[in-house]
Amino acid sequence: MNFIKTPTLLKNKSLSLLITARVSSNFAYQMLTVAIGWQMYSLTHSAFYLGLIGLVQFLPMLVLSLFVGHISDRYDRRKIVSISQLVQGICIALLAFGNYNGWITKESFLIMVFFIALAHSFEGPPMQALLPNIVERKIFPKASALVSSASQFAVIVGPGFAGILYSFGASLIYSITAGLLILASVLIIQIHVNKEERKPDPVNLKSFFAGITFIKSRPIILGAISLDLFAVLFGGATALLPIYASSILKIGSFGLGVLRSAPAVGALLMSALLTRKPLKRNVGKIMFTAVVCFGLSTIIFAISKSVIVSFLALFVLGASDVISVVIRSTLVQLETPDNMRGRVSSVNMIFIGTSNQLGEFESGITASLLGTVPAALLGGVGTILVVLIWRKLFSSLFTVDSFEGSKN
């Protein structure tokens, strides 16, 4: 990563451990995403069942996120993340064992994915809340972009690697994925955090829902995470990639991996740019513009029958998405007190999970009713309409000039 020039970031051992763990876990998740999508479509040849994959991943996050956020503000966040990743690794190892012995059916497959998602739901909020305890506030935007760019490297390589490995059997991918998550678990627990003095709130309903209350009182934060929710909810065309790779573009499992990598390539290059030149002015307008680009890219991908055009559309989609992600995460983390970060991050994770996993379910259902191309096209148009509506509803977000001046 020769584009990083900040010695403070490079010399931070805990940040290096966090980055390595994120690379390892993201590599695992990307391989897992390709494998479960391709295997489910191979088992069923059904867009509906592809949508169910998103639903069973979303439900545990929806049910548990507030609870996870609460315990993240009371207990060691590193231990929560580490245990979560360890349990995921064990569950995926069992999935590998089941595939190796030929025990997997579409029903048992959905059940296993559900338990993996159940363990994964304990990872997000404490993981998001770790970074502010590792780096100083003034370099947080640059550190956030650095973590994102490092993670995207794994996101680029992982899908293509999974596409190649799948030809040797799904059990091999699941075995490697399990090992990577166990490695990430070991690395996370070694991180040293600069803990702020925080007094846990009493255990009651007010404390449990404090994250929701806090976000409702901050229109800028509410606008940022809800914009991401609805934009990606409608623009979840990536859930349909197995169908595009198999039936429309006809490029097989390796081609699916290449398409899965395309958004990450765009995200990596954009993250590198944001690390070197952090956003300083007009961050609200930039965020809205990025989401519009996300919608336009989805539309182009939806109607494309060219592998090159599809790859480029997904490339731009990933680049525009990472801009929105960096702005949103920076706004949320910098404007939230440390004793609230777990609970606020849990609400943020519900929004992210809704936009990703529930978006995949929505795309699968819409595709089964209207067809694959109309579903993806409709999603892109819906994303742009959301931007136009949010421009009116959250004008304070649109006019945010800088991160330091965003408090409200």
Side-chain angles (χ1 to χ4, degrees):
M1 294 185 184
N2 55 9
F3 52 82
I4 306 298
K5 294 185 176 181
T6 308
T8 304
L9 295 180
L10 293 175
K11 294 179 180 179
N12 189 320
K13 181 180 178 181
S14 292
L15 181 59
S16 297
L17 286 170
L18 177 64
I19 289 173
T20 306
R22 289 285 293 269
V23 169
S24 179
S25 61
N26 278 0
F27 197 96
Y29 296 144
Q30 291 306 310
M31 289 203 301
L32 183 66
T33 299
V34 171
I36 63 177
W38 190 261
Q39 186 171 11
M40 178 56 83
Y41 192 65
S42 298
L43 287 170
T44 65
H45 296 284
S46 168
F48 175 74
Y49 273 93
L50 283 178
L52 283 183
I53 289 290
L55 182 62
V56 299
Q57 290 176 311
F58 164 71
L59 288 177
M61 184 181 298
L62 175 65
V63 174
L64 292 173
S65 281
L66 292 180
F67 170 73
V68 175
H70 191 73
I71 64 174
S72 295
D73 287 334
R74 300 184 67 85
Y75 303 102
D76 191 329
R77 292 163 182 165
R78 299 168 304 163
K79 292 181 180 179
I80 298 172
V81 173
S82 182
I83 293 171
S84 169
Q85 291 175 332
L86 178 62
V87 173
Q88 290 175 73
I90 293 172
C91 290
I92 296 170
L94 291 175
L95 185 58
F97 184 75
N99 269 276
Y100 182 78
N101 289 280
W103 298 341
I104 299 299
T105 64
K106 61 181 184 292
E107 291 82 11
S108 63
F109 191 64
L110 282 172
I111 292 172
M112 288 303 301
V113 171
F114 173 80
F115 280 107
I116 294 168
L118 188 67
H120 183 58
S121 65
F122 282 83
E123 180 181 347
M127 177 71 87
Q128 284 193 11
L130 272 177
L131 186 58
N133 295 135
I134 295 175
V135 299
E136 298 176 3
R137 177 186 177 94
K138 63 182 179 181
I139 61 173
F140 184 87
K142 183 173 287 190
S144 178
L146 172 58
V147 172
S148 178
S149 62
S151 300
Q152 292 303 331
F153 173 77
V155 178
I156 292 170
V157 178
F161 196 61
I164 295 173
L165 287 179
Y166 198 91
S167 61
F168 296 97
S171 59
L172 178 60
I173 298 179
Y174 296 135
S175 297
I176 295 174
T177 299
L180 287 171
L181 281 167
I182 293 172
L183 172 62
S185 172
V186 173
L187 294 173
I188 285 291
I189 203 64
Q190 299 180 59
I191 291 175
H192 172 74
V193 296
N194 301 314
K195 292 184 179 180
E196 296 181 12
E197 190 67 31
R198 48 185 170 119
K199 297 179 180 179
D201 292 342
V203 181
N204 52 41
L205 285 179
K206 181 179 179 181
S207 173
F208 189 79
F209 292 104
I212 296 176
T213 304
F214 180 84
I215 289 175
K216 285 175 62 178
S217 69
R218 302 296 194 278
I220 289 176
I221 297 179
L222 177 61
I225 63 176
S226 61
L227 174 61
D228 180 83
L229 185 159
F230 287 102
V232 181
L233 175 64
F234 289 118
T238 52
L240 305 176
L241 285 180
I243 302 177
Y244 272 90
S246 176
S247 304
I248 297 176
L249 300 175
K250 302 184 186 302
I251 51 179
S253 62
F254 177 71
L256 172 61
V258 172
L259 290 181
R260 278 282 183 187
S261 297
V265 174
L268 175 63
L269 295 179
M270 182 56 67
S271 296
L273 179 61
L274 294 177
T275 303
R276 188 164 185 169
K277 297 182 178 180
L279 296 173
K280 296 180 179 180
R281 305 300 298 271
N282 298 315
V283 294
K285 294 178 181 178
I286 291 173
M287 182 178 185
F288 276 81
T289 302
V291 179
V292 169
C293 290
F294 183 93
L296 291 174
S297 301
T298 301
I299 292 172
I300 294 172
F301 172 78
I303 62 178
S304 170
K305 294 184 179 181
S306 163
V307 176
I308 295 176
V309 172
S310 297
F311 182 91
L312 291 175
L314 291 172
F315 173 91
V316 175
L317 182 148
S320 56
D321 184 49
V322 83
I323 295 174
S324 174
V325 168
V326 168
I327 293 174
R328 183 193 71 239
S329 63
T330 302
L331 287 173
V332 171
Q333 296 300 331
L334 292 187
E335 305 310 323
T336 304
D338 186 61
N339 67 332
M340 287 283 297
R341 284 193 179 117
R343 282 165 290 178
V344 171
S345 293
S346 72
V347 180
N348 191 28
M349 286 302 299
I350 293 176
F351 278 69
I352 294 172
T354 300
S355 62
N356 291 330
Q357 279 75 44
L358 196 58
E360 291 179 3
F361 178 65
E362 178 271 333
S363 295
I365 295 297
T366 307
S368 66
L369 295 174
L370 304 179
T372 302
V373 174
L377 180 62
L378 184 63
V381 173
T383 297
I384 295 175
L385 289 177
V386 165
V387 174
L388 297 176
I389 295 172
W390 257 239
R391 169 67 179 84
K392 297 292 185 181
L393 293 179
F394 297 95
S395 58
S396 58
L397 173 61
F398 183 79
T399 57
V400 169
D401 185 53
S402 68
F403 294 119
E404 291 299 323
S406 63
K407 290 184 178 181
N408 52 94

